[in-house]
Amino acid sequence: MSSHGTEKFEFLEHTADAQFRAYGNTLEEAFENAALAMFNVMVDTDSVSDSVSESINIESPDLDILLVDWLSELLYLSDVNHSVYSTFNVESIKEQDGRYFLSAQIYGETLNLDKHEIDTEVKAVTYNQLEVRKLSNGWMLQVVVDI
Amino acid sequence: MKGEDIKDNEVYQILEKIDDNTWNVPVTYKSTMNVPGRIFVSSELMKDLEKETLDQMANVASLPGIQKFSMAMPDAHLGYGFPIGGVAAFDKDEGVISPGGVGFDINCGVRLLRTNLQIEDTRPYINQLVNNLFNKIPSGLGSKSGLKVSDAELDDVFVHGAQWAVDNGYGVKADVEHCEGNGLIEGAEPSQVSKEARKRGRPQLGTLGSGNHFLEVQYVDKIYDEYIASDFGLEEGQVTVSIHCGSRGAGHQICSDHLRELTQAVKKYGIQLPDKQLACAPANSREAQNYFKAMACAANYAWANRQVINHWTREVFENIFGKDIDMNLVYDVAHNVAKFEEHTINGEKKQVYVHRKGATRAFPPEHPELSDDYQQSGQPVLIPGSMGTPSFVLHGTKDSMDISFGSACHGSGRLMSRKHAKKELSGEEIQKELASKGITVKVANPRMISEEAPEAYKSSSEVVDVVHDVGIARKVARLSPVGVIKG
């Protein structure tokens, strides 16, 4: 298993779907990098500016589901707003009475096929081989998305 | 992965041979299995079979109330939760319903239209046809439909499926009769569809989507069974059109929403799962039934979607060739769906939820679900090829009910990951190669071409031959592509 060092995320080989691992020194940072990895399946995020923004608040029964809920919410917003996102600021992930709360601000741009290098549509986030793992020096998140 | 000798592949060590194309994953392979696994595969296709696909079959075999076998079709490959190409039937009382056994693209499926046009007369118009189809039918990421439906209309789409489209001027009565289940799963309840799924669904009705979805202009280049082909109205040289797409964002959201509910239900009902993506609940539980009601909405949406695209396709053809081209629907089949069906299991009639995830229903002659004109032939079974490769039309057989819960394969099955395909194959080269074979491709996103290149898939003819030889569906006709539009 690779340690994260300066790497934000890496893609793993998968026949039908896209699988990635995202890393972070904090859980918040790892969640941000998971979002970045997922949008990089769809688009070259370097070609996406910060002209639109959304606030996100999520409540989930455990950390695994929080990760799926977070990425699913991003897909939902991308679909209904015809937007792609490239900057993710996860302000906090908190646990209270056995429930998990995330709040974030995300930035991106209305989809523009002349400007954005579109790759593959991500249909959904799966629970297949899902992992939220605490490492000695941070966090590793593993996700398979359906494409 | 590709071994020279079948025995080099570790799956050969696991599988038990029943006959040349039928192999079992022994029930002892994993201690949790309730039934054996069964895969229909030739030694040629076995070379590319992944051990993880067998593991996923074994995981499905471990779910409560599964009947006979956890099955996989010859195009099976690694999925998430259930393998792609998986078929599993669960008892209505003792069994479960699992969204993972259907997938996110609920009622992804394919329909086949025939015409009375001959390929020689049509070739000069292929570029024009492909361009006009591309302009008329929205495809690709972020594409918007020309059709706007209100929330109330969306409810009608969810409840009435293909019939909604026909009632609103998109098609004719015969179209509905030539859809699996008349383009409808009964029991749809829009109250089980979230506002998020509605918001995604409203602007996307009448869009093709992206990924492996396509619309293809083809011609019949080979007939295997004259008699059945004539029942299906197919003859050599005839121009046909295949439409392959599903329930779009509405279906993805419905699956995501209910999958989340079911990950919690698993704990409530104390079901042990080897993979969270197999989340399920007892078939008769509130959670499972709520999913089923919502899944039916998505399935019906997909039938309406294909019906609207069918109508626009007809308009494009009729604008070029006139009204007298007899552009009739041969059939429309779902290949990602769970259905409540009756099957004879160990001599006993039983009601089961058959999950087909990347598998096509293949019902036999005289089945009450089939329209009058297909009572003798059995159901048309439509197997799309990958881009640039032939598609096949088969017909359902009596044996399929016994062997595979009335199911057959759904396509060619991926061989190469999309990421790998992109690295290996340049989009431009593939487009040139296809053009040299007389196939015009028009694509919203050129990068998709390499991802969906023929080399990235198993051979569709090899897959179909196994299905034919096993006898779960028999070959009727082969369709060769001449024009493709993709997302």
Side-chain angles (χ1 to χ4, degrees), chain A residues 26-90:
Chain A
T26 63
L27 192 55
E28 285 84 355
E29 192 185 328
F31 268 59
E32 289 170 357
N33 289 336
L36 194 62
M38 183 177 75
F39 275 92
N40 265 289
V41 175
M42 284 194 262
V43 62
D44 177 3
T45 54
D46 290 340
S47 68
V48 179
S49 75
D50 284 354
S51 55
V52 296
S53 179
E54 295 280 344
S55 295
I56 295 177
N57 289 289
I58 297 169
E59 181 188 340
S60 309
D62 61 43
L63 265 182
D64 281 8
I65 296 178
L66 186 71
L67 176 57
V68 174
D69 284 352
W70 157 243
L71 297 175
S72 299
E73 178 69 12
L74 296 173
L75 285 183
Y76 165 74
L77 290 171
S78 171
D79 199 21
V80 297
N81 295 331
H82 300 283
S83 295
V84 279
Y85 302 102
S86 56
T87 304
F88 307 91
N89 180 14
V90 176

Side-chain angles (χ1 to χ4, degrees), chain A residues 13-17 59 64-65 69 76 79 82 117-121 124 126-128 146-147, chain B residues 50 77 80 104 141 144 199-200 204 210 260 264 275-277 414 417-418 420 422 445 447 451:
Chain A
E13 194 67 18
H14 195 291
T15 315
D17 300 307
E59 181 188 340
D64 281 8
I65 296 178
D69 284 352
Y76 165 74
D79 199 21
H82 300 283
E117 265 195 46
I118 296 301
D119 211 319
T120 305
E121 181 180 19
T126 80
Y127 293 85
N128 183 222
D146 183 22
I147 54 178
Chain B
E50 300 152 303
H77 62 78
Y80 44 89
F104 288 98
L141 190 65
K144 293 178 194 170
K199 199 167 175 186
R200 293 177 75 170
Q204 292 179 351
S210 66
R260 188 183 192 278
Q264 302 309 296
D275 177 351
K276 265 193 184 165
Q277 188 65 28
R414 283 203 86 87
S417 77
R418 297 172 204 247
H420 187 65
K422 262 190 208 137
N445 172 14
R447 298 183 71 157
E451 207 175 286

Side-chain angles (χ1 to χ4, degrees), chain B residues 105-125:
Chain B
D105 196 359
I106 297 166
N107 189 7
C108 184
V110 60
R111 63 168 55 196
L112 177 69
L113 288 152
R114 63 170 186 255
T115 68
N116 61 12
L117 298 167
Q118 284 295 305
I119 183 64
E120 304 88 75
D121 308 329
T122 312
R123 269 199 206 278
Y125 300 94

Side-chain angles (χ1 to χ4, degrees), chain B residues 60 64-67 69 82 87-98 101-102 185-187 281-285 288-293 295 337-343 345 350-356 405 407:
Chain B
V60 173
I66 185 165
Q67 303 292 303
F69 297 103
F82 284 59
V87 175
F90 299 93
D91 183 88
K92 82 170 170 59
D93 299 314
E94 312 290 320
V96 295
I97 298 177
S98 174
V102 173
I185 291 180
E186 292 198 17
N284 52 20
S285 68
Q289 285 301 317
N290 284 349
Y291 163 69
F292 194 81
K293 291 166 186 170
M295 182 215 66
V337 84
K339 293 207 127 168
F340 188 55
E341 293 173 0
E342 188 175 271
H343 287 272
I345 295 162
K350 260 192 166 181
Q351 289 179 312
V352 289
Y353 287 95
V354 182
H355 293 58
R356 298 187 180 95
F405 296 107
S407 315

